[in-house]
Amino acid sequence: MKRPFQSIRWRIQVWHGLILFIAIAAFCVTAYQLAWLNQSRRIDREIQRHERQLFKSLTEANESYFSERNNGNKRIPFPEELYQIFETGKIQLPEEALNEFSGNASGYYYFAFANADGELLLKSENAPDQLNFLPLPDEVGMQEEFRTLGNLRESAHSFNFGFRIIIGHDIQSELEEKHRFGWSLGASGCGLWLIGLLGGWWLAGKAIRPIQSISQTATRIAEGNLNERINTAGTDSELDQLSHVLNHSFDRLNAILEQQRQFTADASHELRTPLTILLSESQRMCKRGKSRSEADYQDAFDLCHDACIRMRDLVESLLLLARQDSNSPNHLPCDCDLAPLIQDSCAQLRSLADSKDIAFELELETCPLHADPNLLKVVLNNLIGNAIQHHQGKGHVWVSCRPLVKQIELTVKDDGPGIPEADLPHIYDRFYRADKSRNSQDGHSGLGLALVKAILQTMGGEITVQSQQGTGTTFKVKLT
Amino acid sequence: MRILVIEDDPGLRRSLSATLKEEGFAVDQAADGEEGLFKASEGLYDALVLDVMMPKLDGWQVLEQLRPQHTVPVLMLTARDSVPDRIKGLNTGADDYLTKPFDSDELVARIRALIRRTSGKTQSQIEINGLLLDTARRSLSKDGQEIELTAREYSLFEYLALHRGEVVSRSLLYERLFDENDNSLSNLLDVHVSNLRKKLGASIITTRRGHGYCIE
């Protein structure tokens, strides 16, 4: 088991939790602020309403004074005028205003008036002792401020002619309400966060499940269950695409492994028959050794020798093939000419050709090229040797080489029986033989053409074949 | 005992035949499945040694076409050693299985065991009138004293001993004890029988005139 914080699920969960927390917290703080702002505005409007009411009732109480000055026109007086009444000291205080601005019950209102020197002109009996009047404005007519002092909310005004007013309101209950709101907001935010976390955990698990299944399948495949594949029956999501890619890779790896396994099996299979001969003959010779004739021994040794040659040829071909496969730079290219190499090859195979009454027809031009002559010989011996060995006898093998533009063309053609069409795609397969007998008595291991193809691939050449049953086969090799 | 070796590789065929001949079997050879099937169908053989990978007809096909008319024991030789292949061989009707490369002593021992089993004997030692025949060691002894026999003589005695109580005709003995390349004179069998009688006593093998020989 991995450590929890290394798993993708946990990482997704942690990031998701963090982002969700920030979002919920931002939302709660904004909601809290907005709600309090709203509440403050309502409180302020309320204070203003009480202020207007106080003014109105003051005006009404001192109506006689104002109607005198205003020649009977009724209107709400300017603060200057109100101030003047205070100055005169003959202000009448209305009953209802006093009822409104009294007591210490939750939500009470109070007021205070002062002059330019800060002397209290009038205040309600419930006003606090410490009152901070606004300083007088410099030039502008009026200065105004709403402020919160502890659990009190005040509206303070000052006028340039020296009049200063404070209307206050106890907001204890609103503050408590604000606290309650804050707590409930916090609680529901936390709840939401927890639900979000659970949902995120579930979603992350759901998102991760295909990955887990992929990894489990891949583990089983790695343990050797090579035929298992990831289940791709789902929507065409990114993970499905990944599964397809992985399955494809597994298929290819499996095919390569299977090919390798087949090759090893074939190679050991090819070695088993000569080994059996060696084993059985040597065992036979060991028994009753004295009573044997010389001819008997000769016979057994001939058999053993043939078996050894078969094994040697096979092992050499396998090694050469393995070297071509590994692409190791073990060949030594040098400047050489193809034409004399072909002549050498034909000279080597002459006796075999004569024994089957096959005539060589050579048409050689000078073909200089840069390649390993030993590998070229393997190619030539195999192609020309095949043409002779598969021939039914009495015929021709044509070998020609000519230089083309930047290329050299080698052609080996025979008028033998040809290759059946069904076998053509497989002739370069390792250990493939047109007859399924795996009969290696005539020296075929089934590796010749595979070797030719592998060598040409490392040389950068290519080989093509044309064959018609009854008329013969033509191999064309192009070397650069 | 006459055995047919069906093997396409000429070297191995020669070697196997030589080994089996030296062990006292009469051996015929077939170079491919078709020839092998043709020869085996004659029903002359006590056992078949059958290679799997062969041209024309492979080992499985030969076996399929041979069974169930012929119950001759078949030992299959194969270069494949995977379990499914062995199972396939045994299911198709092979009686035993050997994977190349094999020990030739093991091959001979298995062929003997197969032949013994088909003749109903499970023990390799048979006691006949005071003589002890050991088919595993191919020896005959009397009171712990081994009696020297030529391979032919032994084969003849063994065949008669394995078919004890039956009258075995001369032609059958020829078929079973001589391979197709033996063009022996017809009285060769009589020579072997008289040699055996000299060595083991005249009463052991009885002659039924016009029928053949028998060990009572």
Side-chain angles (χ1 to χ4, degrees):
Chain A
M1 182 69 194
K2 290 178 288 183
R3 271 182 291 154
F5 290 102
Q6 278 181 328
S7 88
I8 293 182
R9 191 180 190 181
W10 268 98
R11 289 183 191 200
I12 290 178
Q13 180 67 3
V14 166
W15 280 106
H16 169 252
L18 199 68
I19 291 167
L20 192 66
F21 179 79
I22 291 171
I24 289 177
F27 169 75
C28 287
V29 167
T30 314
Y32 181 75
Q33 298 280 10
L34 275 175
W36 178 239
L37 195 68
N38 231 359
Q39 184 75 329
S40 311
R41 284 205 186 122
R42 200 182 55 75
I43 293 167
D44 293 350
R45 273 202 305 279
E46 224 23 48
I47 292 174
Q48 280 171 330
R49 195 172 64 77
H50 277 84
E51 192 177 17
R52 278 201 303 278
Q53 200 124 36
L54 178 67
F55 274 37
K56 198 178 165 198
S57 45
L58 276 175
T59 316
E60 276 164 9
N62 301 287
E63 202 168 359
S64 55
Y65 173 77
F66 287 114
S67 51
E68 225 172 80
R69 286 175 59 93
N70 295 330
N71 305 319
N73 285 343
K74 272 193 183 176
R75 61 173 177 82
I76 292 180
F78 297 115
E80 287 141 290
E81 292 164 323
L82 207 56
Y83 179 59
Q84 281 163 14
I85 323 175
F86 281 109
E87 290 281 90
T88 58
K90 291 185 287 184
I91 186 119
Q92 302 278 320
L93 283 174
E95 262 317 295
E96 48 174 320
L98 286 175
N99 287 341
E100 195 82 39
F101 294 88
S102 67
N104 280 317
S106 171
Y108 65 90
Y109 285 87
Y110 62 89
F111 64 82
F113 297 98
N115 64 10
D117 304 325
E119 272 174 52
L120 261 181
L121 299 174
L122 181 72
K123 74 166 193 161
S124 57
E125 33 72 50
N126 59 358
D129 299 332
Q130 279 292 319
L131 287 165
N132 290 315
F133 289 99
L134 280 182
L136 292 180
D138 301 330
E139 285 169 19
V140 199
M142 186 189 78
Q143 195 171 350
E144 183 180 36
E145 189 184 91
F146 282 98
R147 60 200 182 190
T148 306
L149 303 164
N151 54 0
L152 298 174
R153 180 83 177 162
E154 286 182 343
S155 146
H157 286 96
S158 69
F159 300 91
N160 55 354
F161 50 86
F163 190 39
R164 298 201 270 196
I165 311 168
I166 286 178
I167 308 289
H169 174 45
D170 171 54
I171 53 167
Q172 183 71 38
S173 63
E174 281 90 349
L175 282 175
E176 277 165 12
E177 198 186 325
K178 176 186 165 190
H179 267 97
R180 273 199 306 279
F181 178 65
W183 278 113
S184 63
L185 207 57
S188 49
C190 278
L192 204 61
W193 189 55
L194 282 176
I195 291 169
L197 281 184
L198 284 176
W201 185 246
W202 178 73
L203 267 180
K206 202 171 147 66
I208 232 102
R209 200 169 306 135
I211 299 181
Q212 281 173 335
S213 117
I214 289 172
S215 111
Q216 276 164 6
T217 313
T219 310
R220 280 200 296 277
I221 292 169
E223 279 164 357
N225 200 350
L226 292 174
N227 290 319
E228 201 160 330
R229 288 293 174 270
I230 297 162
N231 183 16
T232 51
T235 52
D236 199 23
S237 68
E238 290 91 334
L239 283 177
D240 276 348
Q241 287 167 21
L242 174 68
S243 304
H244 278 298
V245 171
L246 283 175
N247 276 348
H248 185 62
S249 320
F250 291 143
D251 284 343
R252 285 199 53 196
L253 282 175
N254 200 10
I256 292 169
L257 277 177
E258 182 55 33
Q259 213 180 333
Q260 205 67 35
R261 201 192 58 74
Q262 187 60 44
F263 180 69
T264 319
D266 285 344
S268 71
H269 175 256
E270 294 297 319
L271 284 168
R272 279 169 198 266
T273 301
L275 256 180
T276 312
I277 295 173
L278 277 181
L279 203 62
S280 122
E281 283 304 276
S282 53
Q283 230 170 351
R284 193 162 70 89
M285 286 304 109
C286 285
K287 276 187 188 170
R288 277 170 288 174
K290 282 171 198 160
S291 59
R292 288 190 188 281
S293 66
E294 207 173 305
D296 222 5
Y297 278 120
Q298 189 62 48
D299 205 32
F301 282 132
D302 282 348
L303 268 176
C304 288
H305 186 239
D306 287 347
C308 286
I309 287 179
R310 261 162 71 181
M311 286 163 74
R312 185 199 62 191
D313 290 351
L314 188 65
V315 168
E316 272 177 4
S317 301
L318 284 173
L319 269 178
L320 203 53
L321 205 54
R323 282 198 202 120
Q324 301 307 315
D325 283 350
S326 65
N327 284 328
S328 58
N330 47 33
H331 54 285
L332 304 161
C334 58
D335 292 319
C336 53
D337 192 341
L338 193 57
L341 289 174
I342 293 174
Q343 276 167 341
D344 281 357
S345 250
C346 290
Q348 269 181 37
L349 292 163
R350 176 85 54 196
S351 61
L352 180 65
D354 287 346
S355 73
K356 294 185 89 171
D357 205 3
I358 293 165
F360 283 124
E361 303 281 342
L362 303 184
E363 197 180 308
L364 308 177
E365 290 175 44
T366 307
C367 296
L369 79 164
H370 189 74
D372 185 339
N374 287 324
L375 292 182
L376 283 176
K377 260 187 194 164
V378 174
V379 172
L380 289 170
N381 283 345
N382 268 300
L383 288 179
I384 302 171
N386 275 348
I388 299 169
Q389 275 165 346
H390 291 296
H391 208 291
Q392 70 275 44
K394 285 197 178 136
H396 298 82
V397 171
W398 293 268
V399 185
S400 69
C401 67
R402 61 194 175 114
L404 301 173
V405 189
K406 287 186 181 174
Q407 263 186 342
I408 282 166
E409 190 186 63
L410 163 73
T411 312
V412 179
K413 187 175 165 219
D414 65 63
D415 52 2
I419 304 167
E421 207 171 323
D423 293 318
L424 268 181
H426 301 290
I427 55 170
Y428 303 111
D429 292 355
R430 289 166 189 194
F431 295 114
Y432 187 86
R433 291 196 198 94
D435 72 38
K436 302 293 178 293
S437 69
R438 307 205 157 263
N439 191 344
S440 36
Q441 66 205 57
D442 45 3
H444 299 299
S445 60
L447 282 175
L449 281 177
L451 197 52
V452 167
K453 179 123 183 163
I455 289 173
L456 288 175
Q457 247 163 12
T458 42
M459 280 184 177
E462 55 184 75
I463 183 165
T464 49
V465 61
Q466 273 187 324
S467 186
Q468 209 168 5
Q469 268 191 291
T471 49
T473 309
T474 309
F475 280 98
K476 265 193 202 311
V477 174
K478 288 200 170 134
L479 288 162
T480 45
Chain B
M1 300 288 145
R2 191 163 168 184
I3 289 174
L4 177 63
V5 173
I6 311 172
E7 160 69 57
D8 63 320
D9 188 279
L12 187 55
R13 195 168 64 235
R14 256 171 71 195
S15 175
L16 278 178
S17 304
T19 305
L20 290 172
K21 265 180 195 163
E22 283 175 14
E23 292 293 334
F25 294 102
V27 182
D28 287 352
Q29 305 179 5
D32 58 59
E34 235 170 55
E35 192 190 344
L37 183 63
F38 174 73
K39 286 187 172 175
S41 306
E42 289 177 42
L44 296 177
Y45 301 100
D46 295 286
L48 299 188
V49 176
L50 180 59
D51 186 32
V52 173
M53 297 275 225
M54 281 186 301
K56 296 181 186 168
L57 283 177
D58 68 20
W60 314 124
Q61 291 166 319
V62 171
L63 203 54
E64 264 169 36
Q65 299 191 22
L66 204 59
R67 299 273 189 247
Q69 289 92 338
H70 296 84
T71 51
V72 55
V74 174
L75 186 141
M76 297 203 77
L77 296 182
T78 176
R80 297 190 183 184
D81 56 357
S82 68
V83 176
D85 276 330
R86 288 162 187 257
I87 293 171
K88 184 180 176 190
L90 295 172
N91 279 345
T92 320
D95 298 274
D96 205 350
Y97 219 93
L98 261 183
T99 309
K100 295 179 193 171
F102 49 80
D103 191 293
S104 36
D105 286 346
E106 190 186 353
L107 173 76
V108 172
R110 280 180 187 244
I111 291 174
R112 289 234 173 86
L114 279 182
I115 294 171
R116 218 165 42 232
R117 237 179 287 152
T118 24
S119 65
K121 310 273 190 308
T122 48
Q123 297 246 316
S124 65
Q125 294 187 334
I126 303 166
E127 218 246 290
I128 299 157
N129 306 340
L131 295 167
L132 188 68
L133 178 74
D134 189 334
T135 53
R137 288 178 54 239
R138 292 180 67 76
S139 69
L140 186 68
S141 55
K142 187 174 191 178
D143 308 327
Q145 203 72 26
E146 194 158 319
I147 301 165
E148 289 272 329
L149 293 182
T150 66
R152 253 314 136 62
E153 286 165 5
Y154 174 83
S155 301
L156 174 59
F157 188 80
E158 189 194 61
Y159 195 85
L160 289 172
L162 287 173
H163 297 85
R164 196 174 168 187
E166 299 169 24
V167 179
V168 185
S169 71
R170 287 168 60 86
S171 60
L172 189 65
L173 281 174
Y174 269 114
E175 277 171 4
R176 296 288 162 148
L177 302 181
F178 298 91
D179 63 53
E180 58 195 358
N181 299 323
D182 266 324
N183 33 14
S184 337
L185 297 164
S186 59
N187 70 344
L188 198 59
L189 196 61
D190 301 318
V191 174
H192 288 308
V193 171
S194 84
N195 281 345
L196 274 174
R197 280 176 175 155
K198 270 179 214 160
K199 288 178 181 174
L200 310 173
S203 63
I204 189 97
I205 300 171
T206 42
T207 310
R208 301 284 173 84
R209 288 263 166 241
H211 293 286
Y213 299 100
C214 174
I215 293 180
E216 303 280 357

